Amino acid sequence: MDFSLVLVLLTAAMAAIWALDVLWLKPRREASAIASGEAAQEPALVEFSRSFLPIVIVVLLIRSFAYEPFRIPSSSMMPTLRVGDFIFVSKFSYGLRLPVLNTKVLSTGEPERGDVAVFRLPSDPGTNYIKRVVGLPGDVVSMRNKQLWINGEPVPSALLGETVEIECGGFWFDAQVGVETLGDHSHQVFLSEQRDRPSPFLDRPVPPGQYLVMGDNRDCSRDGRIIGYIPESSMVGRAVRIWMNWDAESKRPLWHRIGDPIE
């Protein structure tokens, strides 16, 4: 369900009801009340529309141009983000776009290397993904023995000497914890002993106006190595903060994650 479309339709319906009442129904209702000597009664639907229209407009504006909430459904961005995290995404980081139409009306910035970005899947625009931007237009991105390379230079990284057991596609495997620095962003990654996956989107320049993205859980992520480059027009916004967490295993919030910035 496209919630933006629902909000736009709801706003239009409420505005139409309110305008119809002001221009036509209310004068007839008041004239009838004067003739009968009784107080004019405002219909419940008109009262509801008039009362809630400002609220719906504010929600639509905030969600379309400021911040939009998302829920993390998979482990592809672990350990940065985990299943059960609810996050805020800054919609104005990559430009203001009209709701539903997604047409950019104001340029306020571009994705930067290292950003955790939400984007619409090019093959299915109704599906949102969240990954880390690793390649900007013109970059040549490579993976060599679990090491990320950009434009012929290795990305600063190091293993922390810690191993964790993670689940991927119904299988469990051990992964080493590493730390990686992309631009101004330092973040942890999970690296297994699996071989680097081949991809037709690596070792070649990222096309103009497009980006290459990867999950921090490098060997358990359906990312740019599979789905290809992400056009700028598909970018939704930059993930900025965890506002809520609900752990499915313990059936309770993980309080220490709430309020954490997303790096």
Side-chain angles (χ1 to χ4, degrees):
M1 181 180 63
D2 189 334
F3 192 59
S4 294
L5 178 59
V6 172
L7 285 175
V8 169
L9 293 177
L10 187 60
T11 300
M14 287 183 171
I17 291 172
W18 175 77
L20 179 64
D21 182 68
V22 170
L23 298 175
W24 188 57
L25 297 179
K26 185 176 180 179
R28 293 169 60 89
R29 188 168 62 246
E30 291 178 345
S32 176
I34 292 174
S36 63
E38 299 178 355
Q41 296 293 323
E42 186 177 56
L45 182 59
V46 173
E47 181 181 3
F48 176 86
S49 299
R50 177 176 53 79
S51 300
F52 284 93
L53 178 59
I55 298 174
V56 175
I57 290 176
V58 169
V59 172
L60 177 62
L61 292 176
I62 292 176
R63 192 178 185 276
S64 299
F65 302 121
Y67 294 96
E68 183 175 356
F70 285 88
R71 180 180 66 85
I72 302 302
S74 74
S75 62
S76 69
M77 279 298 293
M78 288 183 67
T80 303
L81 296 171
R82 58 186 297 169
V83 178
D85 284 340
F86 292 80
I87 65 172
F88 278 131
V89 171
S90 169
K91 300 294 287 289
F92 56 83
S93 292
Y94 301 152
L96 301 185
R97 298 180 183 274
L98 295 177
V100 182
L101 299 176
N102 296 315
T103 302
K104 182 181 286 190
V105 294
L106 179 64
S107 180
T108 58
E110 301 293 340
E112 298 180 1
R113 192 180 294 118
D115 283 0
V116 177
V118 171
F119 57 91
R120 292 182 299 277
L121 191 62
S123 61
D124 180 13
T127 300
N128 291 310
Y129 270 29
I130 182 168
K131 307 293 178 185
R132 190 176 297 277
V133 177
V134 298
L136 304 180
D139 283 348
V140 177
V141 180
S142 306
M143 287 291 292
R144 305 174 187 172
N145 297 321
K146 303 301 178 183
Q147 174 82 43
L148 185 65
W149 289 62
I150 298 178
N151 298 326
E153 298 290 335
V155 171
S157 62
L159 295 177
L160 299 181
E162 179 184 353
T163 301
V164 295
E165 188 179 28
I166 60 176
E167 187 271 337
C168 181
F171 298 93
W172 290 86
F173 60 89
D174 290 335
Q176 293 182 300
V177 182
V179 62
E180 186 177 79
T181 302
L182 280 169
D184 297 329
H185 302 267
S186 290
H187 55 276
Q188 291 188 355
V189 293
F190 283 165
L191 304 169
S192 77
E193 295 181 357
Q194 301 178 43
R195 295 177 59 186
D196 292 331
R197 68 175 75 168
S199 170
F201 305 104
L202 296 177
D203 303 305
R204 54 183 294 187
V206 177
Q210 301 191 51
Y211 300 86
L212 185 68
V213 297
M214 289 186 185
D216 290 348
N217 193 353
R218 288 287 156 79
D219 298 296
C220 187
S221 174
R222 184 172 183 265
D223 52 33
R225 292 167 289 181
I226 298 173
I227 63 177
Y229 307 114
I230 308 303
E232 189 276 336
S233 59
S234 294
M235 288 293 183
V236 173
R238 181 172 61 88
V240 292
R241 194 168 295 273
I242 299 170
W243 63 271
M244 182 58 184
N245 170 279
W246 182 262
D247 183 65
E249 293 184 4
S250 62
K251 306 297 183 184
R252 62 180 179 82
L254 298 180
W255 299 106
H256 66 278
R257 294 188 64 80
I258 297 175
D260 281 355
I262 299 172
E263 299 292 344

